[in-house]
Amino acid sequence: MNGKRIGITIAKIGGGALLLLAVVLGIRRFCIESLRISTNAMEQAILSGDYVLVNKLPTEANPGRNRVILFKSPLRRDSVAAPLFVSRLIGMPGDTVTVEENLFLINGKQLPKAPTTMATYFVSKELEGIIRSLANKLAIPLREWKSETFGFTFTITTLEEYKLREELPDGSNKHFVQEPAEEYSIIVPKKGIAYRINETSLKACREILLHETNGKAVFRDNKLFLDGRETNFFYFKHDYYWVLSDHAKYAVDSRHLGFIPDNLILGNVWFCWKSNDPERMFKTID
């Protein structure tokens, strides 16, 4: 009799453990997952070594514009061990994204850069002492300081740039400039909407066109050919997104991977729960 009771108890414990495991796996797969960041691409929003929570819940704001997202590489989408990346979502399906004079324009309207976005700046030699003094006063690290022919270059965030400019003497801004980014304008493909194929869009669409046509797309002289005929428009089966990292120097984003399909986006990177920097712990990620 006692043997039967022990067997029943073990069976109940085993069943309970399996149920708990199933619940935990379900939460990780469909709701919230914890990950350790191993890239500098999103400094200072997320530091390498930070532990973060990723929101995978399928809501209207997930993925969200100007949010940090987690996604799989579209270049190795069929691989079991496809690499994961974090970057900032700039363009939603159907958006026209323009990068112009270090500004992001979405459908003609400026998208404010996140305060943690990193960029490289040039300062002339006559302003070196003032910049170093202000940076020390404001506790701003002048990252990657490098001597150039007529001055110096260094890397800071958008917020740090604003703080420095607020303290600079009148007329000094012309000696303190941001290095220009590559300028371009591109339309993000939207499911079921006719998408014009030209030389610019083809560079970003090449991989997704190959995937959506099961490898039948042919490219010649910066033109798309399907079934031997030149094609100027294409109807995509998925929604796509354009992502750019805050720290472009260390980034792998849409400039390298092209458009990111909806089925490879895992969700918004939402919360930092562990970090080597105590001030970052238990805070939401912007």
Side-chain angles (χ1 to χ4, degrees):
M1 187 69 176
N2 289 339
K4 290 183 179 180
R5 288 180 180 176
I6 292 172
I8 293 172
T9 302
I10 292 174
K12 287 183 177 179
I13 293 174
L18 287 175
L19 178 60
L20 178 61
L21 178 62
V23 170
V24 170
L25 291 176
I27 291 174
R28 287 190 61 187
R29 181 173 177 82
F30 300 107
C31 300
I32 302 290
E33 183 173 0
S34 175
L35 293 171
R36 182 179 183 272
I37 301 299
S38 59
T39 174
N40 297 317
M42 290 306 299
E43 289 187 354
Q44 293 288 315
I46 312 172
L47 300 180
S48 179
D50 283 357
Y51 288 81
V52 300
L53 297 179
V54 179
N55 178 9
K56 295 184 175 182
L57 293 172
T59 62
E60 185 176 350
N62 192 11
R65 187 192 303 281
N66 219 12
R67 295 293 305 274
V68 180
I69 65 168
L70 178 72
F71 61 95
K72 294 181 180 180
S73 169
L75 304 185
R76 294 178 57 189
R77 68 176 72 207
D78 299 323
S79 171
V80 176
L84 297 176
F85 296 97
V86 288
S87 196
R88 192 171 298 278
L89 197 161
I90 301 299
M92 305 287 282
D95 281 349
T96 297
V97 177
T98 302
V99 176
E100 180 180 278
E101 296 181 354
N102 299 306
L103 298 176
F104 295 149
L105 300 176
I106 306 299
N107 304 322
K109 296 182 179 180
Q110 184 177 345
L111 177 69
K113 286 191 174 182
T116 53
T117 301
M118 304 280 278
T120 300
Y121 296 81
F122 170 84
V123 62
S124 61
K125 290 183 178 179
E126 54 262 41
L127 207 60
E128 178 191 2
I130 296 176
I131 287 291
R132 285 188 177 276
S133 176
L134 287 176
N136 183 62
K137 170 187 173 182
L138 299 171
I140 294 175
L142 302 178
R143 307 169 189 87
E144 302 168 16
W145 183 274
K146 182 181 178 182
S147 178
E148 303 288 350
T149 304
F150 300 105
F152 306 89
T153 58
F154 55 93
T155 302
I156 54 176
T157 68
T158 300
L159 178 59
E160 290 165 348
E161 177 205 5
Y162 171 79
K163 290 179 178 180
L164 283 174
R165 291 194 186 280
E166 284 290 290
E167 298 282 340
L168 281 174
D170 293 340
S172 296
N173 280 319
K174 63 182 180 181
H175 301 288
F176 175 29
V177 296
Q178 182 178 345
E179 289 193 349
E182 179 185 357
E183 297 187 358
Y184 59 86
S185 184
I186 198 164
I187 299 174
V188 185
K190 186 173 184 178
K191 179 181 178 180
I193 303 298
Y195 188 83
R196 179 179 289 277
I197 302 297
N198 55 35
E199 182 176 351
T200 301
S201 64
L202 198 57
K203 291 179 181 178
C205 288
R206 186 178 296 264
E207 291 298 328
I208 60 176
L209 283 167
L210 284 171
H211 190 267
E212 292 223 359
T213 61
N214 294 317
K216 296 178 180 178
V218 176
F219 310 102
R220 292 198 303 269
D221 301 323
N222 295 314
K223 296 177 181 179
L224 169 66
F225 292 84
L226 293 174
D227 299 323
R229 297 182 179 181
E230 182 182 346
T231 302
N232 296 316
F233 291 91
F234 189 83
Y235 288 85
F236 286 98
K237 303 172 185 176
H238 289 273
D239 282 329
Y240 290 86
Y241 298 83
W242 188 257
V243 300
L244 295 174
S245 296
D246 285 3
H247 202 340
K249 184 174 180 179
Y250 299 105
V252 176
D253 52 32
S254 285
R255 293 168 301 169
H256 316 88
L257 303 173
F259 295 109
I260 312 300
D262 52 11
N263 61 341
L264 295 186
I265 295 179
L266 302 182
N268 293 329
V269 181
W270 164 59
F271 189 80
C272 178
W273 65 270
K274 184 179 180 181
S275 175
N276 291 327
D277 180 358
E279 294 185 2
R280 305 175 62 83
M281 292 176 58
F282 307 114
K283 291 186 179 179
T284 56
I285 295 169
D286 296 322

